Each structure stands twice: as C-alpha cells, then as structure tokens.
Amino acid sequence: MHETSLGGTIRDYLSGEDIDETTYEEFRQALAKLLVEEFEYPRESLKAKVDLCFTIDGEEMCRTMDLVVYDKDNKPVMLVMFCPGDVGSYEREAGCAGWLFEGGPVPFVVISNTMEAYLIETESRKVIASGMDSIPHYNDLLERAANYKFDPVPEEKVNRLQRIFYTYTGFLQGTCCSESCSLPKL
C-alpha cells in the first residue's frame, strides 16, 4: 500500500495546522501523539515528514522520514518510520536511513506499524528491542544518544548504503505506480 491522498484535511498534532489527510497520516499522527503523551517527548523536539535525500547515478532521490527526534542542540537522535505491514521487513531500510540522514548518523531508528515497534541501533543496524515499550522515553533517549560518537562515514560506505537504501525505497521513485500512488503536489 502506498500513501495516497484521501481528499480531506486533518489537524496536525504537532503544529495544530490543517494538513492533507492521507492513508498514512492518521498513523503518523498517532505515533507523534504517543511520543509526546506517553514517552514525554517535547513537541518542539519532533519534526514530521523530513526528507532523507541521497544520490544514485547522479539522480537525487528522497525518502520521507515520518518523524525525526532532535536533541536540545538540534541534532537528530532518532528517526521514526511508519511501516504498513510487517515491521521486520523494514529493518534493513531503517538501519541504512540512520547512517544516511543529514546531520547523522542518527543513533537510533524506530520502525512501527503502530501495533509493533522495533528499536534499531544505527551503528550495528540491528534490532536491540521490540514492542511498543521499546521506544525510549525522551530523557533516556538523550542519555543513550550521548554515548554515541560516530566517525565521519567514508564515501565508499555512504555509496554502498545509498545503493542498499535505494533497493528498498526505489519503488517510490517511479519504478512502481508512482503516478497513481503519489501524493498530489501542493
């Protein structure tokens, strides 16, 4: 299933503004509300729908991260990706996203279908916890993220990670039914 417009608008939980209602937006909103109300994330630490852009054979591609969590210095510390269906089928894509995200590598990535969640450590690209309660509370996340010191990622590794990431996200870039499945331009 691809994200498509439902033709209406809903109130964005983070900004309070009216936004396009899509097949995924209610799930994105539920994840934002969960982080703020249950896991004590300050609203200002969350940004929704942030593009992770990368280049394949000279062509720029972008994959939207549903939520990005920032620390008090505005450094990304966790990505949150909504995944329709089996959470486990998004592990490799999410691990690559953590390495490639601008301002990163980002120490952690959460993938969730809003019923199940995996917490992935970017450095190893491994699931380190599962279940909705695997999502760290904000202060715990900041404490854990402070222990991560990444060296600059060598260009060769970036190129490999971009190719892997593209194999998982490429269908969004025009190889599937992107004209009928994409969101309308605003």
Side-chain angles (χ1 to χ4, degrees), residues 66-121:
D66 293 293
L67 296 165
V68 180
V69 180
Y70 293 87
D71 67 12
K72 295 169 182 160
D73 296 322
N74 207 33
K75 182 169 176 26
V77 290
M78 189 169 76
L79 305 177
V80 180
M81 298 172 66
F82 169 71
C83 55
D86 180 29
V87 176
S89 63
Y90 288 79
E91 287 178 45
R92 192 120 190 239
E93 177 185 5
C96 289
W99 278 102
L100 296 172
F101 192 79
E102 185 175 346
V106 178
F108 300 99
V109 181
V110 167
I111 48 177
S112 177
N113 60 10
T114 70
M115 293 181 290
E116 177 66 81
Y118 287 178
L119 178 63
I120 297 172
E121 178 187 57

Side-chain angles (χ1 to χ4, degrees), residues 92 95-96 99 120-127 161 164:
R92 192 120 190 239
C96 289
W99 278 102
I120 297 172
E121 178 187 57
T122 295
E123 187 173 35
S124 66
R125 291 185 297 189
K126 303 261 188 231
V127 174
L161 289 167
I164 294 167

